[in-house]
Amino acid sequence: MRRYAGHPLLRSLDVRYRDDLLMRLVARVVEYLDMPHCFTGRLQFASWRPVMGRRRDANIGTGQVETARGRLLHRVELADGTIRAYKTQSPTEWNFRPRGPLWAALMRRKVADVQAIRAYARLTVMALDPCVACDIEVA
């Protein structure tokens, strides 16, 4: 949850513990506590901006919204009044990509046995994206 990475509590925990799972769970609590500010307009969770098209006839726009699982991205390309292309990138795609946040968290974790890494991996997956069902296999 990078959007809260600069929060004093998270900075303090990061320096002391360097634990991805702990950081993610505490960031989630900090975000919940900060939610009332979202309704007063202090934080802007959605944005839309046009970007330059590659072709003269193309209108391309991108949008993003911060969700509980991370940033959700949208990209739409219009041509001649119709949608020519539409693409999204979900937080799940980002969190579980090769060498992404899950990989990084697991690579930094030192564990004593297979059961410990299995438990840590399951908790980390749930912290990253509680909507994803998973099976953990350790080879």
Side-chain angles (χ1 to χ4, degrees):
M1 304 195 88
R2 283 181 198 249
R3 60 186 172 260
Y4 287 95
H7 189 279
L9 175 59
L10 291 167
R11 281 198 322 255
S12 171
L13 289 172
D14 188 37
V15 167
R16 185 166 183 183
Y17 296 105
R18 305 290 300 169
D19 185 304
D20 292 284
L21 178 58
L22 174 67
M23 297 292 292
R24 186 161 294 278
L25 294 173
V26 171
R28 188 116 344 131
V29 171
V30 169
E31 182 174 43
Y32 292 145
L33 294 173
D34 198 38
M35 279 185 172
H37 295 104
C38 298
F39 300 113
T40 62
R42 190 189 84 174
L43 294 178
Q44 183 170 347
F45 279 89
S47 65
W48 179 262
R49 67 180 178 86
V51 295
M52 296 296 290
R54 290 173 295 210
R55 296 177 303 278
R56 295 188 90 129
D57 64 336
N59 293 309
I60 300 173
T62 61
Q64 64 183 15
V65 63
E66 295 296 339
T67 70
R69 298 177 299 132
R71 184 170 292 155
L72 173 62
L73 302 170
H74 295 269
R75 182 181 183 277
V76 66
E77 181 179 329
L78 304 173
D80 302 321
T82 61
I83 297 174
R84 180 179 298 208
Y86 181 77
K87 184 176 181 188
T88 63
Q89 183 177 18
S90 72
T92 301
E93 293 171 271
W94 176 259
N95 290 331
F96 299 109
R97 75 187 189 284
R99 296 192 175 264
L102 177 63
W103 177 86
L106 294 177
M107 294 304 291
R108 281 193 289 271
R109 185 69 178 195
K110 300 210 184 315
V111 292
D113 59 46
V114 171
Q115 290 300 93
I117 190 62
R118 185 177 286 123
Y120 182 78
R122 181 172 303 286
L123 288 171
T124 304
V125 167
M126 290 174 57
L128 280 166
D129 195 337
C131 302
V132 172
C134 72
D135 289 319
I136 307 295
E137 291 182 26
V138 179

Coordinates of all heavy atoms in Angstrom, one line a residue, residues 31-88:
E31 N -5.2 3.1 6.5 CA -6.1 3.6 5.5 C -7.5 3.6 6.0 O -8.2 4.6 5.8 CB -6.0 2.6 4.3 CG -6.9 3.1 3.2 CD -6.7 2.2 1.9 OE1 -6.6 1.0 2.0 OE2 -6.7 2.8 0.8
Y32 N -7.9 2.6 6.8 CA -9.3 2.6 7.3 C -9.5 3.8 8.3 O -10.5 4.4 8.2 CB -9.6 1.3 8.1 CG -9.7 0.1 7.2 CD1 -9.2 -1.1 7.6 CD2 -10.2 0.2 5.9 CE1 -9.3 -2.3 6.8 CE2 -10.2 -0.9 5.1 CZ -9.8 -2.1 5.5 OH -9.9 -3.3 4.7
L33 N -8.5 4.1 9.1 CA -8.6 5.2 10.0 C -8.6 6.5 9.3 O -9.2 7.5 9.7 CB -7.5 5.2 11.0 CG -7.5 4.0 12.0 CD1 -6.2 3.9 12.8 CD2 -8.7 4.0 12.8
D34 N -8.0 6.6 8.1 CA -8.0 7.8 7.3 C -9.2 8.0 6.4 O -9.4 9.1 5.8 CB -6.7 7.8 6.4 CG -6.3 9.1 5.9 OD1 -6.5 10.1 6.6 OD2 -5.9 9.2 4.7
M35 N -10.1 7.0 6.3 CA -11.2 7.1 5.4 C -12.1 8.3 5.6 O -12.6 8.8 4.6 CB -12.0 5.8 5.5 CG -11.5 4.7 4.6 SD -12.5 3.3 4.6 CE -11.7 2.3 3.4
P36 N -12.4 8.7 6.8 CA -13.2 9.9 7.0 C -12.7 11.1 6.2 O -13.5 11.9 5.7 CB -13.2 10.2 8.5 CG -13.0 8.9 9.1 CD -12.0 8.2 8.2
H37 N -11.4 11.3 6.0 CA -10.8 12.4 5.2 C -11.2 12.2 3.8 O -11.2 13.2 3.0 CB -9.3 12.4 5.4 CG -8.9 12.8 6.8 ND1 -8.4 11.8 7.7 CD2 -9.0 13.9 7.5 CE1 -8.2 12.4 8.8 NE2 -8.5 13.7 8.8
C38 N -11.4 11.0 3.3 CA -11.7 10.8 1.9 C -13.1 11.5 1.6 O -13.3 12.0 0.5 CB -11.8 9.3 1.6 SG -10.3 8.4 1.8
F39 N -13.9 11.5 2.5 CA -15.3 12.0 2.3 C -15.3 13.6 2.4 O -16.3 14.2 2.0 CB -16.3 11.4 3.2 CG -16.4 9.9 3.1 CD1 -15.9 9.1 4.1 CD2 -16.8 9.4 1.9 CE1 -16.0 7.7 3.9 CE2 -16.9 8.0 1.7 CZ -16.5 7.2 2.7
T40 N -14.2 14.1 2.9 CA -14.2 15.6 3.0 C -13.4 16.2 1.9 O -13.2 17.4 1.8 CB -13.5 16.0 4.4 OG1 -12.2 15.5 4.4 CG2 -14.3 15.5 5.6
G41 N -13.0 15.4 0.9 CA -12.3 15.9 -0.3 C -10.8 16.0 -0.1 O -10.2 16.5 -1.0
R42 N -10.2 15.6 1.0 CA -8.8 15.8 1.2 C -8.0 14.9 0.2 O -7.0 15.2 -0.3 CB -8.4 15.5 2.6 CG -6.9 15.9 2.9 CD -6.4 15.5 4.2 NE -6.0 14.1 4.0 CZ -5.4 13.4 4.9 NH1 -5.2 13.9 6.1 NH2 -5.1 12.1 4.7
L43 N -8.5 13.6 0.1 CA -7.8 12.7 -0.8 C -8.7 12.6 -2.1 O -9.9 12.6 -2.0 CB -7.7 11.3 -0.2 CG -6.8 11.2 1.0 CD1 -6.9 9.8 1.6 CD2 -5.4 11.6 0.7
Q44 N -8.0 12.4 -3.2 CA -8.7 12.2 -4.5 C -8.4 10.8 -4.9 O -7.3 10.5 -5.2 CB -8.3 13.2 -5.5 CG -9.1 13.0 -6.8 CD -8.8 14.1 -7.8 OE1 -8.2 15.2 -7.4 NE2 -9.2 14.0 -9.0
F45 N -9.5 9.9 -5.0 CA -9.3 8.5 -5.3 C -9.4 8.2 -6.7 O -9.0 7.2 -7.2 CB -10.2 7.7 -4.4 CG -9.7 7.5 -3.1 CD1 -10.0 8.3 -2.0 CD2 -8.9 6.4 -2.8 CE1 -9.5 8.1 -0.8 CE2 -8.4 6.2 -1.5 CZ -8.7 7.1 -0.5
A46 N -10.0 9.1 -7.5 CA -10.2 8.8 -8.9 C -9.7 9.9 -9.8 O -9.8 11.1 -9.4 CB -11.7 8.5 -9.2
S47 N -9.1 9.6 -10.9 CA -8.7 10.6 -11.8 C -8.8 10.1 -13.2 O -8.8 8.9 -13.5 CB -7.2 11.0 -11.5 OG -6.4 9.9 -11.8
W48 N -8.9 11.0 -14.1 CA -9.0 10.7 -15.6 C -8.2 11.7 -16.3 O -8.3 12.9 -16.0 CB -10.5 10.7 -16.0 CG -10.6 10.4 -17.5 CD1 -10.7 11.3 -18.5 CD2 -10.5 9.1 -18.1 NE1 -10.7 10.6 -19.7 CE2 -10.6 9.3 -19.5 CE3 -10.4 7.8 -17.6 CZ2 -10.6 8.2 -20.4 CZ3 -10.4 6.8 -18.5 CH2 -10.5 7.0 -19.9
R49 N -7.4 11.3 -17.2 CA -6.6 12.2 -18.0 C -6.4 11.7 -19.4 O -6.1 10.5 -19.6 CB -5.2 12.5 -17.3 CG -4.3 11.4 -17.3 CD -2.9 11.8 -16.7 NE -2.0 10.7 -16.6 CZ -1.2 10.4 -17.6 NH1 -1.1 11.1 -18.7 NH2 -0.4 9.4 -17.5
P50 N -6.6 12.6 -20.4 CA -6.3 12.2 -21.7 C -4.8 12.1 -21.9 O -4.1 12.9 -21.3 CB -7.0 13.3 -22.6 CG -7.0 14.5 -21.7 CD -7.1 13.9 -20.3
V51 N -4.4 11.2 -22.8 CA -3.0 11.2 -23.2 C -2.9 11.3 -24.7 O -3.8 11.1 -25.4 CB -2.3 9.8 -22.7 CG1 -2.3 9.8 -21.2 CG2 -3.0 8.6 -23.3
M52 N -1.7 11.6 -25.1 CA -1.5 11.8 -26.6 C -1.7 10.5 -27.3 O -1.2 9.4 -26.9 CB -0.1 12.3 -26.9 CG 0.2 13.7 -26.3 SD -0.8 14.9 -27.0 CE -0.1 15.0 -28.6
G53 N -2.5 10.5 -28.4 CA -2.7 9.4 -29.2 C -1.5 9.1 -30.1 O -0.8 10.0 -30.5
R54 N -1.4 7.9 -30.5 CA -0.3 7.6 -31.5 C -0.7 7.9 -32.9 O 0.2 8.2 -33.7 CB 0.0 6.1 -31.4 CG 0.7 5.7 -30.1 CD 0.8 4.2 -30.0 NE -0.6 3.7 -30.0 CZ -0.9 2.6 -29.4 NH1 -0.1 1.8 -28.8 NH2 -2.2 2.2 -29.4
R55 N -2.0 8.0 -33.1 CA -2.5 8.4 -34.5 C -3.3 9.6 -34.3 O -3.9 9.9 -33.3 CB -3.3 7.2 -35.0 CG -2.6 6.0 -35.3 CD -3.5 4.9 -35.8 NE -4.6 4.6 -34.9 CZ -4.5 3.8 -33.8 NH1 -3.4 3.3 -33.4 NH2 -5.6 3.7 -33.0
R56 N -3.4 10.4 -35.4 CA -4.1 11.6 -35.4 C -5.6 11.4 -35.1 O -6.2 12.3 -34.5 CB -3.9 12.4 -36.7 CG -2.5 12.8 -36.9 CD -2.4 13.7 -38.1 NE -2.6 15.0 -37.7 CZ -1.9 16.0 -38.0 NH1 -0.9 15.8 -38.8 NH2 -2.1 17.2 -37.5
D57 N -6.1 10.3 -35.5 CA -7.6 10.1 -35.4 C -7.9 9.4 -34.1 O -9.1 9.1 -33.8 CB -8.1 9.2 -36.6 CG -7.5 7.8 -36.6 OD1 -6.4 7.6 -36.0 OD2 -8.1 6.9 -37.1
A58 N -6.9 9.1 -33.2 CA -7.2 8.4 -32.0 C -7.2 9.3 -30.8 O -6.5 10.3 -30.7 CB -6.1 7.4 -31.8
N59 N -8.2 9.1 -29.9 CA -8.3 9.8 -28.6 C -8.1 8.7 -27.6 O -8.9 7.7 -27.5 CB -9.7 10.4 -28.5 CG -9.9 11.6 -29.4 OD1 -9.0 12.4 -29.5 ND2 -10.9 11.5 -30.1
I60 N -7.1 8.9 -26.8 CA -6.7 7.9 -25.8 C -6.8 8.5 -24.4 O -6.3 9.6 -24.2 CB -5.3 7.3 -26.0 CG1 -5.2 6.6 -27.4 CG2 -5.0 6.3 -24.9 CD1 -3.9 6.2 -27.8
G61 N -7.4 7.8 -23.5 CA -7.5 8.3 -22.1 C -7.2 7.2 -21.1 O -7.4 6.0 -21.4
T62 N -6.7 7.6 -20.0 CA -6.4 6.7 -18.9 C -7.1 7.1 -17.7 O -7.3 8.3 -17.5 CB -4.9 6.5 -18.6 OG1 -4.4 7.8 -18.2 CG2 -4.1 6.1 -19.9
G63 N -7.5 6.2 -16.8 CA -8.1 6.5 -15.6 C -7.6 5.5 -14.5 O -7.1 4.4 -14.8
Q64 N -7.6 6.0 -13.3 CA -7.1 5.2 -12.2 C -7.9 5.5 -11.0 O -8.4 6.6 -10.8 CB -5.6 5.4 -11.9 CG -5.3 6.8 -11.4 CD -3.8 7.0 -11.2 OE1 -3.0 6.2 -11.7 NE2 -3.4 8.0 -10.5
V65 N -8.1 4.5 -10.2 CA -8.8 4.6 -8.9 C -8.1 3.7 -7.9 O -7.7 2.6 -8.2 CB -10.3 4.2 -9.0 CG1 -10.5 2.8 -9.4 CG2 -11.1 4.6 -7.8
E66 N -7.9 4.3 -6.7 CA -7.3 3.5 -5.6 C -8.4 2.6 -5.0 O -9.5 3.1 -4.6 CB -6.8 4.4 -4.5 CG -5.6 5.3 -5.0 CD -4.4 4.4 -5.4 OE1 -4.3 3.3 -4.9 OE2 -3.6 4.9 -6.1
T67 N -8.2 1.4 -4.9 CA -9.1 0.4 -4.3 C -8.5 -0.2 -3.1 O -7.3 0.0 -2.8 CB -9.5 -0.7 -5.3 OG1 -8.4 -1.5 -5.5 CG2 -9.9 -0.1 -6.7
A68 N -9.3 -1.0 -2.4 CA -8.8 -1.6 -1.2 C -7.6 -2.6 -1.5 O -6.7 -2.8 -0.7 CB -9.9 -2.4 -0.5
R69 N -7.6 -3.1 -2.7 CA -6.5 -4.0 -3.1 C -5.4 -3.3 -3.8 O -4.3 -4.0 -4.1 CB -7.0 -5.1 -4.0 CG -8.1 -6.0 -3.3 CD -8.7 -7.0 -4.2 NE -9.4 -6.4 -5.3 CZ -9.2 -6.8 -6.6 NH1 -8.4 -7.8 -6.9 NH2 -9.8 -6.2 -7.5
G70 N -5.5 -2.1 -4.1 CA -4.5 -1.3 -4.8 C -5.0 -0.5 -6.0 O -6.2 -0.3 -6.1
R71 N -4.2 -0.1 -6.9 CA -4.6 0.8 -7.9 C -5.2 0.0 -9.1 O -4.6 -0.9 -9.6 CB -3.4 1.6 -8.4 CG -3.8 2.7 -9.5 CD -2.6 3.6 -9.7 NE -2.4 4.4 -8.5 CZ -1.3 5.0 -8.1 NH1 -0.2 4.8 -8.9 NH2 -1.2 5.7 -7.0
L72 N -6.4 0.4 -9.6 CA -7.0 -0.1 -10.7 C -6.9 0.9 -11.9 O -7.2 2.0 -11.7 CB -8.5 -0.4 -10.4 CG -9.4 -0.8 -11.6 CD1 -9.0 -2.2 -12.1 CD2 -10.9 -0.9 -11.1
L73 N -6.3 0.4 -13.0 CA -6.0 1.3 -14.1 C -7.0 0.9 -15.3 O -7.3 -0.3 -15.5 CB -4.6 1.1 -14.6 CG -3.5 1.4 -13.6 CD1 -2.2 0.9 -14.1 CD2 -3.5 2.8 -13.2
H74 N -7.4 1.9 -16.0 CA -8.2 1.8 -17.2 C -7.5 2.6 -18.4 O -7.0 3.6 -18.1 CB -9.6 2.3 -17.0 CG -10.4 1.6 -16.0 ND1 -11.2 0.5 -16.4 CD2 -10.5 1.7 -14.7 CE1 -11.8 0.0 -15.3 NE2 -11.4 0.8 -14.3
R75 N -7.6 2.0 -19.6 CA -7.1 2.7 -20.8 C -8.2 2.5 -21.9 O -8.5 1.4 -22.1 CB -5.8 2.2 -21.2 CG -5.2 2.9 -22.4 CD -3.8 2.3 -22.7 NE -3.2 3.0 -23.8 CZ -3.5 2.8 -25.1 NH1 -4.4 1.9 -25.5 NH2 -2.9 3.5 -26.0
V76 N -8.6 3.6 -22.5 CA -9.6 3.5 -23.5 C -9.1 4.3 -24.7 O -8.5 5.4 -24.6 CB -11.0 4.0 -23.1 CG1 -11.0 5.4 -22.8 CG2 -12.0 3.6 -24.1
E77 N -9.3 3.7 -25.9 CA -8.9 4.4 -27.2 C -10.2 4.6 -28.0 O -10.9 3.6 -28.3 CB -7.9 3.6 -27.9 CG -7.5 4.2 -29.2 CD -6.4 3.3 -29.9 OE1 -5.7 2.6 -29.2 OE2 -6.4 3.4 -31.1
L78 N -10.5 5.8 -28.4 CA -11.7 6.1 -29.2 C -11.3 6.5 -30.6 O -10.3 7.1 -30.8 CB -12.5 7.2 -28.6 CG -12.9 7.1 -27.1 CD1 -13.6 8.4 -26.6 CD2 -13.9 5.9 -27.0
A79 N -12.1 6.1 -31.6 CA -11.8 6.5 -32.9 C -13.1 6.5 -33.7 O -13.9 5.6 -33.6 CB -10.9 5.5 -33.6
D80 N -13.4 7.6 -34.3 CA -14.6 7.8 -35.1 C -15.8 7.6 -34.2 O -16.8 7.0 -34.7 CB -14.6 6.9 -36.3 CG -13.4 7.2 -37.2 OD1 -13.1 8.3 -37.4 OD2 -12.9 6.2 -37.8
G81 N -15.8 8.0 -33.0 CA -17.0 7.9 -32.1 C -17.2 6.5 -31.5 O -18.2 6.3 -30.9
T82 N -16.3 5.6 -31.7 CA -16.5 4.3 -31.1 C -15.2 3.9 -30.3 O -14.1 4.4 -30.6 CB -16.7 3.2 -32.2 OG1 -15.6 3.1 -33.1 CG2 -18.0 3.5 -33.0
I83 N -15.4 2.9 -29.5 CA -14.3 2.4 -28.7 C -13.5 1.5 -29.6 O -14.0 0.4 -30.0 CB -14.8 1.7 -27.4 CG1 -15.5 2.7 -26.5 CG2 -13.6 1.0 -26.7 CD1 -16.1 2.1 -25.3
R84 N -12.3 1.8 -29.8 CA -11.4 1.0 -30.6 C -10.6 -0.1 -29.7 O -10.4 -1.2 -30.1 CB -10.3 1.8 -31.3 CG -9.4 1.0 -32.2 CD -8.4 1.9 -32.9 NE -9.2 2.8 -33.8 CZ -8.8 3.3 -34.9 NH1 -7.5 3.0 -35.3 NH2 -9.5 4.1 -35.6
A85 N -10.3 0.3 -28.5 CA -9.5 -0.6 -27.6 C -9.8 -0.2 -26.2 O -10.0 1.0 -25.9 CB -8.0 -0.5 -27.9
Y86 N -9.9 -1.1 -25.3 CA -10.1 -0.9 -23.9 C -9.3 -1.9 -23.1 O -9.4 -3.1 -23.4 CB -11.6 -1.1 -23.6 CG -11.9 -0.8 -22.1 CD1 -12.0 0.5 -21.6 CD2 -12.1 -1.8 -21.2 CE1 -12.3 0.7 -20.3 CE2 -12.4 -1.6 -19.9 CZ -12.5 -0.3 -19.5 OH -12.7 -0.1 -18.1
K87 N -8.6 -1.5 -22.1 CA -7.8 -2.4 -21.3 C -7.8 -1.9 -19.9 O -7.8 -0.7 -19.6 CB -6.3 -2.3 -21.9 CG -5.4 -3.3 -21.2 CD -4.1 -3.4 -21.7 CE -3.3 -4.4 -21.0 NZ -2.0 -4.5 -21.2
T88 N -7.8 -2.9 -19.0 CA -7.7 -2.6 -17.6 C -6.5 -3.4 -17.0 O -6.0 -4.4 -17.6 CB -8.9 -3.1 -16.8 OG1 -9.0 -4.5 -16.9 CG2 -10.2 -2.4 -17.2

